[in-house]
Amino acid sequence: MRGKFITVEGGEGAGKSTNLEFIRRLLESEGYQVVFTREPGGTTLGEDIRELLLGHKHTGMADDTELLLIFSARAEHLARKIMPALEFGKWVLCDRFTDASYAYQGGGRRIDLERIRQLENWVQGGLKPDLTLLLDLPVDVGLTRAGARSEPDRFESEGMVFFDKVRNSYLKIAAAEPERVKVVNAAASLEEVQRRIEMVLKAFFRAQSESQ
Ligand SMILES: Nc1ncnc2c1ncn2[C@@H]1O[C@H](COP(=O)(O)OP(=O)(O)OP(=O)(O)O)[C@@H](O)[C@H]1O
Ligand SMILES: [Mg+2]
């Protein structure tokens, strides 16, 4: 049977990377084989593109260039890693995916959403994540957390207005697709965040076994 595709989304410093390991353990304790990956990146070529996107060498990159680079990395990621793993029956757990393109390049940079949809259809066909955890928190809290962690990357150097648009776009996606996208209050303590993540995943596992 084909594996499931789970993505974790949210703004800067929301706790995506922190919680991925926790999610992996939950999946493995259910007996699933897990492939762990991230966007932009996930493949050798994709990680090179990630450097172009997040580094400070190309600060003035045009918005369309940014979007196309992201979808190039995604095409490689799907062809070389995600699709083969799903077809093999593995579960794929990914730190950010296409919702981030709608939120950052659509919401943040104001690229026409229809363009993003066209690229999504081209690169993904009908493929969408089966489940998305959206870690939501006020922008300033996330930026403080991320700032305490490392030097800001090219996106983290954006201002509050940009990140507010990103957050609102994510919430809009969650409101439009409540079955797929589950919002987790990421401003809470890590313990509380993980309790909620576990609840969402347990419900997802139940739904899987009922549909078999
Ligand atoms: N619930 C929490 N409460 C307090 N601090 C947290 C919580 N979750 C994560 N952190 C801390 O916040 C910082 C950012 O977390 P993390 O790197 O996981 O965020 P991220 O969503 O992956 O960020 P980015 O978008 O930049 O990759 C880390 O130092 C982490 O330890
Ligand atoms: Mg991270």
Side-chain angles (χ1 to χ4, degrees):
M1 203 176 53
R2 223 180 86 140
K4 296 291 168 190
F5 183 26
I6 299 180
T7 60
V8 182
E9 296 281 358
E12 312 302 311
K16 298 178 294 299
S17 304
T18 305
N19 286 296
L20 279 174
E21 193 49 46
F22 175 74
I23 298 169
R24 182 223 285 262
R25 279 201 303 275
L26 284 175
L27 299 183
E28 285 177 347
S29 70
E30 289 292 307
Y32 300 118
Q33 272 188 286
V34 181
V35 171
F36 208 43
T37 190
R38 69 172 180 181
E39 287 217 345
T43 62
T44 314
L45 174 55
E47 290 291 327
D48 284 350
I49 294 177
R50 180 186 180 92
E51 279 204 27
L52 295 175
L53 287 162
L54 299 190
H56 291 281
K57 188 172 171 194
H58 306 291
T59 40
M61 185 185 300
D63 292 350
D64 280 351
T65 311
E66 179 178 293
L67 181 69
L68 289 165
L69 280 174
I70 287 169
F71 271 96
S72 307
R74 183 162 296 141
E76 186 72 6
H77 198 192
L78 283 162
R80 305 272 177 249
K81 192 166 186 180
I82 297 176
M83 294 310 294
L86 293 174
E87 275 155 22
F88 195 78
K90 293 183 180 173
W91 284 38
V92 175
L93 178 57
C94 192
D95 190 338
R96 292 192 187 281
F97 195 63
T98 305
D99 294 315
S101 308
Y102 282 101
Y104 283 75
Q105 283 67 45
R109 304 257 190 252
R110 289 283 179 249
I111 295 183
D112 183 1
L113 298 184
E114 194 42 47
R115 282 199 156 178
I116 303 178
R117 211 158 281 130
Q118 283 171 9
L119 288 171
E120 181 183 25
N121 288 339
W122 179 9
V123 170
Q124 292 167 229
L127 182 94
K128 277 208 164 203
D130 297 292
L131 175 70
T132 298
L133 290 153
L134 172 57
L135 303 183
D136 177 64
L137 82 178
V139 170
D140 54 338
V141 180
L143 288 178
T144 306
R145 282 186 192 171
R149 182 199 54 199
S150 57
E151 285 298 300
D153 65 32
R154 201 172 60 87
F155 286 98
E156 285 166 358
S157 308
E158 291 288 339
M160 290 290 281
V161 176
F162 178 86
F163 291 116
D164 268 327
K165 290 191 232 166
V166 169
R167 184 187 188 195
N168 289 334
S169 306
Y170 268 135
L171 290 172
K172 225 183 257 175
I173 297 170
E177 296 181 67
E179 280 300 307
R180 173 176 70 87
V181 184
K182 305 296 179 192
V183 182
V184 174
N185 171 19
S189 69
L190 191 55
E191 199 186 13
E192 192 52 45
V193 169
Q194 295 188 334
R195 212 184 342 257
R196 169 87 173 120
I197 289 176
E198 189 165 1
M199 269 171 51
V200 170
L201 283 171
K202 292 256 158 85
F204 186 73
F205 297 148
R206 262 197 311 280
Q208 296 314 306
S209 51
E210 279 160 16
S211 70
Q212 274 165 28

